[in-house]
Amino acid sequence: MATYNKFEGFIGYMGLGAVNLNTDVLKVYLTNAVPSASADDVKTDLLEITAQNGYPAGGTDITNTYSEAAGVGTLAGTDVVFTASGGSFGPFQYAVIYDDTHASDVLLCWWDYGSAVTVNNGETFTVDFGASIATFT
């Protein structure tokens, strides 16, 4: 199972109101560059894999929602399926969520899949968010 991690800068952007988890467009993209929780803040800090063979530049919208109940905030999103077509894409080891609405493309969080993955022609790769992406208390 992939390991969830958050970028430290995201908490600062959220606290300043620069990121709206309910109305901003959040996207997931794939990278083989090792993320740094403390050093990486924006998408240009973390190189995306090459757009090709079914993997789109900039990744894919996660159709996010944000809700709050009893003082607990929950960020949810729709699982994203990437399908290789006409060849393979990758390798990548990390799936990263960023705020595509913010002018700087603020990084929120990432999942580490433990080893490099290449998706071959006709195969799919699903970024599965489970019941929620993150909770805030």
Side-chain angles (χ1 to χ4, degrees), residues 14-130:
M14 190 171 65
L16 295 172
V19 172
N20 185 319
L21 297 176
N22 197 47
T23 60
D24 287 2
V25 173
L26 304 183
K27 290 186 174 183
V28 63
Y29 75 99
L30 306 175
T31 181
N32 208 33
V34 179
S36 169
S38 60
D40 297 330
D41 282 332
V42 295
K43 188 172 180 278
T44 55
D45 291 340
L46 201 56
L47 184 65
E48 180 177 10
I49 65 169
T50 303
Q52 62 183 354
N53 302 324
Y55 176 76
T60 300
D61 185 348
I62 67 169
T63 315
N64 49 291
T65 59
Y66 181 78
S67 61
E68 179 275 330
V72 177
T74 302
L75 174 63
T78 304
D79 295 346
V80 173
V81 179
F82 296 105
T83 303
S85 176
S88 63
F89 63 82
F92 60 90
Q93 183 171 332
Y94 311 94
V96 178
I97 292 182
Y98 73 100
D99 185 341
D100 192 43
T101 301
H102 191 280
S104 298
D105 293 335
V106 172
L107 298 174
L108 279 67
C109 57
W110 81 92
W111 288 263
D112 182 346
Y113 288 90
S115 62
V117 176
T118 297
V119 181
N120 294 311
N121 189 37
E123 295 179 341
T124 62
F125 180 82
T126 302
V127 181
D128 183 351
F129 300 123

Side-chain angles (χ1 to χ4, degrees), residues 7 30 101 131 133 135-136:
F7 291 99
L30 306 175
T101 301
I133 295 169
T135 57
F136 306 94

